[in-house]
mmCIF file of all heavy atoms in Angstrom:
data_model
loop_
_atom_site.group_PDB
_atom_site.id
_atom_site.type_symbol
_atom_site.label_atom_id
_atom_site.label_comp_id
_atom_site.label_asym_id
_atom_site.label_seq_id
_atom_site.Cartn_x
_atom_site.Cartn_y
_atom_site.Cartn_z
ATOM 1 N N VAL V 79 121.416 -115.763 73.500
ATOM 2 C CA VAL V 79 120.487 -115.990 72.392
ATOM 3 C C VAL V 79 120.238 -117.487 72.217
ATOM 4 O O VAL V 79 119.116 -117.911 71.925
ATOM 5 C CB VAL V 79 121.037 -115.357 71.093
ATOM 6 C CG1 VAL V 79 120.235 -115.835 69.880
ATOM 7 C CG2 VAL V 79 120.994 -113.841 71.181
ATOM 8 N N ALA V 80 121.275 -118.284 72.432
ATOM 9 C CA ALA V 80 121.115 -119.736 72.337
ATOM 10 C C ALA V 80 120.089 -120.239 73.351
ATOM 11 O O ALA V 80 119.253 -121.106 73.031
ATOM 12 C CB ALA V 80 122.459 -120.433 72.553
ATOM 13 N N ARG V 81 120.129 -119.696 74.562
ATOM 14 C CA ARG V 81 119.172 -120.107 75.588
ATOM 15 C C ARG V 81 117.743 -119.759 75.182
ATOM 16 O O ARG V 81 116.819 -120.551 75.361
ATOM 17 C CB ARG V 81 119.498 -119.444 76.933
ATOM 18 C CG ARG V 81 120.784 -119.926 77.576
ATOM 19 C CD ARG V 81 120.884 -119.459 79.033
ATOM 20 N NE ARG V 81 122.248 -119.618 79.537
ATOM 21 C CZ ARG V 81 123.115 -118.643 79.662
ATOM 22 N NH1 ARG V 81 122.773 -117.417 79.312
ATOM 23 N NH2 ARG V 81 124.319 -118.858 80.133
ATOM 24 N N VAL V 82 117.580 -118.568 74.632
ATOM 25 C CA VAL V 82 116.252 -118.132 74.196
ATOM 26 C C VAL V 82 115.725 -119.036 73.081
ATOM 27 O O VAL V 82 114.525 -119.315 72.999
ATOM 28 C CB VAL V 82 116.302 -116.665 73.713
ATOM 29 C CG1 VAL V 82 114.957 -116.248 73.130
ATOM 30 C CG2 VAL V 82 116.678 -115.744 74.861
ATOM 31 N N LEU V 83 116.624 -119.498 72.241
ATOM 32 C CA LEU V 83 116.232 -120.376 71.139
ATOM 33 C C LEU V 83 116.120 -121.839 71.573
ATOM 34 O O LEU V 83 115.770 -122.700 70.766
ATOM 35 C CB LEU V 83 117.247 -120.267 69.991
ATOM 36 C CG LEU V 83 117.270 -118.926 69.242
ATOM 37 C CD1 LEU V 83 118.423 -118.894 68.246
ATOM 38 C CD2 LEU V 83 115.954 -118.697 68.523
ATOM 39 N N GLY V 84 116.413 -122.107 72.845
ATOM 40 C CA GLY V 84 116.304 -123.469 73.358
ATOM 41 C C GLY V 84 117.420 -124.392 72.913
ATOM 42 O O GLY V 84 117.245 -125.616 72.881
ATOM 43 N N LEU V 85 118.580 -123.817 72.613
ATOM 44 C CA LEU V 85 119.717 -124.611 72.158
ATOM 45 C C LEU V 85 120.543 -125.081 73.357
ATOM 46 O O LEU V 85 120.607 -124.400 74.379
ATOM 47 C CB LEU V 85 120.593 -123.797 71.210
ATOM 48 C CG LEU V 85 119.892 -123.282 69.946
ATOM 49 C CD1 LEU V 85 120.840 -122.411 69.128
ATOM 50 C CD2 LEU V 85 119.388 -124.451 69.102
ATOM 51 N N PRO V 86 121.197 -126.231 73.232
ATOM 52 C CA PRO V 86 121.986 -126.765 74.360
ATOM 53 C C PRO V 86 123.269 -126.002 74.598
ATOM 54 O O PRO V 86 123.739 -125.243 73.757
ATOM 55 C CB PRO V 86 122.262 -128.211 73.932
ATOM 56 C CG PRO V 86 122.220 -128.184 72.442
ATOM 57 C CD PRO V 86 121.171 -127.166 72.089
ATOM 58 N N PHE V 87 123.862 -126.212 75.783
ATOM 59 C CA PHE V 87 125.144 -125.630 76.165
ATOM 60 C C PHE V 87 126.275 -126.481 75.592
ATOM 61 O O PHE V 87 126.166 -127.721 75.575
ATOM 62 C CB PHE V 87 125.234 -125.601 77.696
ATOM 63 C CG PHE V 87 126.583 -125.172 78.231
ATOM 64 C CD1 PHE V 87 126.906 -123.836 78.335
ATOM 65 C CD2 PHE V 87 127.516 -126.123 78.618
ATOM 66 C CE1 PHE V 87 128.145 -123.444 78.825
ATOM 67 C CE2 PHE V 87 128.747 -125.743 79.104
ATOM 68 C CZ PHE V 87 129.059 -124.392 79.205
ATOM 69 N N PRO V 88 127.369 -125.866 75.116
ATOM 70 C CA PRO V 88 127.616 -124.431 75.005
ATOM 71 C C PRO V 88 126.894 -123.826 73.804
ATOM 72 O O PRO V 88 126.840 -124.420 72.729
ATOM 73 C CB PRO V 88 129.135 -124.347 74.847
ATOM 74 C CG PRO V 88 129.509 -125.652 74.217
ATOM 75 C CD PRO V 88 128.561 -126.670 74.764
ATOM 76 N N GLY V 89 126.320 -122.644 74.000
ATOM 77 C CA GLY V 89 125.415 -122.073 73.025
ATOM 78 C C GLY V 89 126.043 -121.539 71.753
ATOM 79 O O GLY V 89 125.445 -121.642 70.676
ATOM 80 N N GLY V 90 127.246 -120.959 71.849
ATOM 81 C CA GLY V 90 127.871 -120.344 70.681
ATOM 82 C C GLY V 90 127.976 -121.264 69.472
ATOM 83 O O GLY V 90 127.493 -120.925 68.382
ATOM 84 N N PRO V 91 128.588 -122.435 69.625
ATOM 85 C CA PRO V 91 128.695 -123.351 68.486
ATOM 86 C C PRO V 91 127.337 -123.811 67.964
ATOM 87 O O PRO V 91 127.187 -124.070 66.766
ATOM 88 C CB PRO V 91 129.488 -124.535 69.075
ATOM 89 C CG PRO V 91 130.253 -123.950 70.210
ATOM 90 C CD PRO V 91 129.351 -122.908 70.793
ATOM 91 N N GLU V 92 126.351 -123.912 68.864
ATOM 92 C CA GLU V 92 125.015 -124.350 68.446
ATOM 93 C C GLU V 92 124.331 -123.281 67.591
ATOM 94 O O GLU V 92 123.630 -123.598 66.624
ATOM 95 C CB GLU V 92 124.163 -124.678 69.671
ATOM 96 C CG GLU V 92 124.650 -125.883 70.459
ATOM 97 C CD GLU V 92 124.582 -127.168 69.656
ATOM 98 O OE1 GLU V 92 123.680 -127.297 68.809
ATOM 99 O OE2 GLU V 92 125.444 -128.048 69.882
ATOM 100 N N VAL V 93 124.513 -122.014 67.946
ATOM 101 C CA VAL V 93 123.960 -120.928 67.128
ATOM 102 C C VAL V 93 124.605 -120.940 65.745
ATOM 103 O O VAL V 93 123.931 -120.797 64.722
ATOM 104 C CB VAL V 93 124.181 -119.559 67.810
ATOM 105 C CG1 VAL V 93 123.804 -118.416 66.855
ATOM 106 C CG2 VAL V 93 123.355 -119.458 69.082
ATOM 107 N N ASP V 94 125.908 -121.104 65.714
ATOM 108 C CA ASP V 94 126.642 -121.152 64.450
ATOM 109 C C ASP V 94 126.141 -122.310 63.589
ATOM 110 O O ASP V 94 125.939 -122.162 62.371
ATOM 111 C CB ASP V 94 128.139 -121.305 64.742
ATOM 112 C CG ASP V 94 128.992 -121.156 63.490
ATOM 113 O OD1 ASP V 94 128.508 -120.580 62.493
ATOM 114 O OD2 ASP V 94 130.152 -121.605 63.495
ATOM 115 N N LYS V 95 125.915 -123.448 64.218
ATOM 116 C CA LYS V 95 125.434 -124.629 63.491
ATOM 117 C C LYS V 95 124.039 -124.397 62.925
ATOM 118 O O LYS V 95 123.760 -124.704 61.755
ATOM 119 C CB LYS V 95 125.432 -125.836 64.436
ATOM 120 C CG LYS V 95 124.962 -127.132 63.807
ATOM 121 C CD LYS V 95 125.013 -128.258 64.829
ATOM 122 C CE LYS V 95 124.492 -129.566 64.243
ATOM 123 N NZ LYS V 95 124.522 -130.652 65.275
ATOM 124 N N LEU V 96 123.129 -123.856 63.744
ATOM 125 C CA LEU V 96 121.763 -123.602 63.303
ATOM 126 C C LEU V 96 121.728 -122.526 62.229
ATOM 127 O O LEU V 96 120.919 -122.595 61.294
ATOM 128 C CB LEU V 96 120.909 -123.180 64.502
ATOM 129 C CG LEU V 96 119.429 -122.855 64.231
ATOM 130 C CD1 LEU V 96 118.707 -124.072 63.653
ATOM 131 C CD2 LEU V 96 118.748 -122.386 65.513
ATOM 132 N N ALA V 97 122.605 -121.555 62.339
ATOM 133 C CA ALA V 97 122.625 -120.443 61.382
ATOM 134 C C ALA V 97 122.917 -120.900 59.963
ATOM 135 O O ALA V 97 122.523 -120.233 58.990
ATOM 136 C CB ALA V 97 123.657 -119.407 61.821
ATOM 137 N N ARG V 98 123.576 -122.004 59.812
ATOM 138 C CA ARG V 98 123.893 -122.513 58.478
ATOM 139 C C ARG V 98 122.631 -122.868 57.701
ATOM 140 O O ARG V 98 122.644 -122.936 56.470
ATOM 141 C CB ARG V 98 124.800 -123.740 58.589
ATOM 142 C CG ARG V 98 126.115 -123.463 59.302
ATOM 143 C CD ARG V 98 127.029 -124.644 59.313
ATOM 144 N NE ARG V 98 128.178 -124.402 60.171
ATOM 145 C CZ ARG V 98 129.294 -125.116 60.152
ATOM 146 N NH1 ARG V 98 129.416 -126.124 59.317
ATOM 147 N NH2 ARG V 98 130.291 -124.822 60.974
ATOM 148 N N GLU V 99 121.538 -123.121 58.418
ATOM 149 C CA GLU V 99 120.279 -123.494 57.780
ATOM 150 C C GLU V 99 119.382 -122.286 57.534
ATOM 151 O O GLU V 99 118.303 -122.404 56.958
ATOM 152 C CB GLU V 99 119.526 -124.500 58.664
ATOM 153 C CG GLU V 99 120.329 -125.748 59.004
ATOM 154 C CD GLU V 99 119.621 -126.610 60.042
ATOM 155 O OE1 GLU V 99 118.426 -126.366 60.305
ATOM 156 O OE2 GLU V 99 120.283 -127.509 60.595
ATOM 157 N N GLY V 100 119.815 -121.093 58.003
ATOM 158 C CA GLY V 100 118.976 -119.909 57.906
ATOM 159 C C GLY V 100 119.487 -118.872 56.932
ATOM 160 O O GLY V 100 120.565 -119.001 56.348
ATOM 161 N N ASN V 101 118.698 -117.809 56.787
ATOM 162 C CA ASN V 101 119.027 -116.697 55.898
ATOM 163 C C ASN V 101 119.534 -115.528 56.747
ATOM 164 O O ASN V 101 118.772 -114.950 57.530
ATOM 165 C CB ASN V 101 117.785 -116.271 55.116
ATOM 166 C CG ASN V 101 118.040 -115.059 54.231
ATOM 167 O OD1 ASN V 101 119.175 -114.602 54.079
ATOM 168 N ND2 ASN V 101 116.980 -114.533 53.633
ATOM 169 N N PRO V 102 120.797 -115.144 56.613
ATOM 170 C CA PRO V 102 121.357 -114.066 57.435
ATOM 171 C C PRO V 102 120.758 -112.697 57.127
ATOM 172 O O PRO V 102 120.963 -111.747 57.881
ATOM 173 C CB PRO V 102 122.851 -114.103 57.106
ATOM 174 C CG PRO V 102 122.919 -114.725 55.755
ATOM 175 C CD PRO V 102 121.806 -115.730 55.713
ATOM 176 N N LEU V 103 120.005 -112.592 56.031
ATOM 177 C CA LEU V 103 119.379 -111.325 55.653
ATOM 178 C C LEU V 103 117.887 -111.320 55.930
ATOM 179 O O LEU V 103 117.195 -110.354 55.587
ATOM 180 C CB LEU V 103 119.631 -111.045 54.160
ATOM 181 C CG LEU V 103 121.104 -111.004 53.714
ATOM 182 C CD1 LEU V 103 121.189 -110.752 52.217
ATOM 183 C CD2 LEU V 103 121.873 -109.959 54.489
ATOM 184 N N ALA V 104 117.400 -112.360 56.565
ATOM 185 C CA ALA V 104 115.960 -112.480 56.789
ATOM 186 C C ALA V 104 115.427 -111.418 57.739
ATOM 187 O O ALA V 104 114.311 -110.911 57.562
ATOM 188 C CB ALA V 104 115.639 -113.871 57.328
ATOM 189 N N ILE V 105 116.204 -111.067 58.762
ATOM 190 C CA ILE V 105 115.770 -110.111 59.784
ATOM 191 C C ILE V 105 116.872 -109.074 59.968
ATOM 192 O O ILE V 105 118.040 -109.425 60.150
ATOM 193 C CB ILE V 105 115.500 -110.806 61.133
ATOM 194 C CG1 ILE V 105 114.583 -112.019 60.940
ATOM 195 C CG2 ILE V 105 114.909 -109.830 62.141
ATOM 196 C CD1 ILE V 105 114.623 -113.009 62.080
ATOM 197 N N ARG V 106 116.500 -107.821 59.943
ATOM 198 C CA ARG V 106 117.493 -106.756 60.094
ATOM 199 C C ARG V 106 117.585 -106.368 61.570
ATOM 200 O O ARG V 106 116.881 -105.478 62.050
ATOM 201 C CB ARG V 106 117.107 -105.530 59.270
ATOM 202 C CG ARG V 106 118.073 -104.356 59.393
ATOM 203 C CD ARG V 106 119.446 -104.668 58.829
ATOM 204 N NE ARG V 106 120.385 -103.561 59.078
ATOM 205 C CZ ARG V 106 121.642 -103.554 58.670
ATOM 206 N NH1 ARG V 106 122.116 -104.586 57.990
ATOM 207 N NH2 ARG V 106 122.416 -102.523 58.925
#
């Protein structure tokens, strides 16, 4: 998912970091 979002490697921590700025209930 990180690759699809264009996030750098390693992707896991980058997704976690970006998620802090988003709404976890925005998309089901």
Side-chain angles (χ1 to χ4, degrees):
V79 168
R81 292 192 195 102
V82 174
L83 292 173
L85 301 176
F87 173 83
E92 294 296 328
V93 171
D94 188 20
K95 180 180 178 181
L96 179 60
R98 301 184 189 196
E99 304 172 13
N101 177 8
L103 303 179
I105 310 161
R106 179 65 185 181

